[in-house]
Amino acid sequence: MTDFDRQLDAAVTAEERDLLRRIGEEPGAIPQMIGLFRGRMGWVHLVMMLAQSALFIAGVWAAWRFVQATDALEALRWGLPAAVAVLAALVIKVAMYPVLHIRQLRLELLRLELERDRA
């Protein structure tokens, strides 16, 4: 615990201390990812993950067919869908990353508010 954390802990009221206790420590990566599927937006993240998985599997399958193609036209017919499917899966996955950082941002904002109130 740093000196600032000790000063912050001494300055908070009982209500704020209870709030900080409920917030707890920052969870690891796996609990944060599992946390995506909870709450009122959990079903949306589940649908996005299922769509991302389906696109990735389809992209890998099309890429395998691309590798096995014997002529250029057949390779083009499998290569373009493979690239599009894998890129679409990547876009969906990347769209979910900002949600993982909401809790960290909320905790940091709370710390800044407590620091401002202390001053």
Side-chain angles (χ1 to χ4, degrees):
M1 216 173 172
T2 65
D3 187 46
F4 173 74
D5 288 332
R6 284 190 208 98
Q7 290 174 352
L8 183 65
D9 190 47
V12 297
T13 64
E15 179 183 347
E16 291 169 337
R17 190 171 282 115
D18 183 51
L19 179 64
L20 287 173
R21 199 172 315 114
R22 280 188 278 147
I23 290 173
E25 297 233 355
E26 180 181 342
I30 301 298
Q32 283 186 19
M33 288 179 207
I34 292 171
L36 283 174
F37 304 108
R38 295 189 186 123
R40 59 187 172 136
M41 294 295 289
W43 69 273
V44 174
H45 293 128
L46 181 63
V47 169
M48 288 175 67
M49 187 61 75
L50 291 173
Q52 183 269 331
S53 298
L55 281 167
F56 181 75
I57 290 168
V60 169
W61 180 72
W64 182 255
R65 297 289 305 258
F66 167 75
V67 170
Q68 291 179 337
T70 55
D71 65 338
L73 187 57
E74 186 181 0
L76 188 61
R77 285 185 183 148
W78 288 109
L80 288 176
V84 169
V86 170
L87 286 174
L90 179 66
V91 166
I92 292 172
K93 177 84 67 183
V94 169
M96 293 172 58
Y97 284 145
V99 178
L100 293 174
H101 299 289
I102 289 174
R103 182 179 166 97
Q104 293 172 341
L105 182 62
R106 285 183 181 163
L107 184 60
E108 190 60 34
L109 285 173
L110 178 63
R111 290 175 63 92
L112 288 173
E113 286 177 9
L114 291 174
E115 182 181 351
R116 183 197 63 196
D117 291 343
R118 185 179 59 105

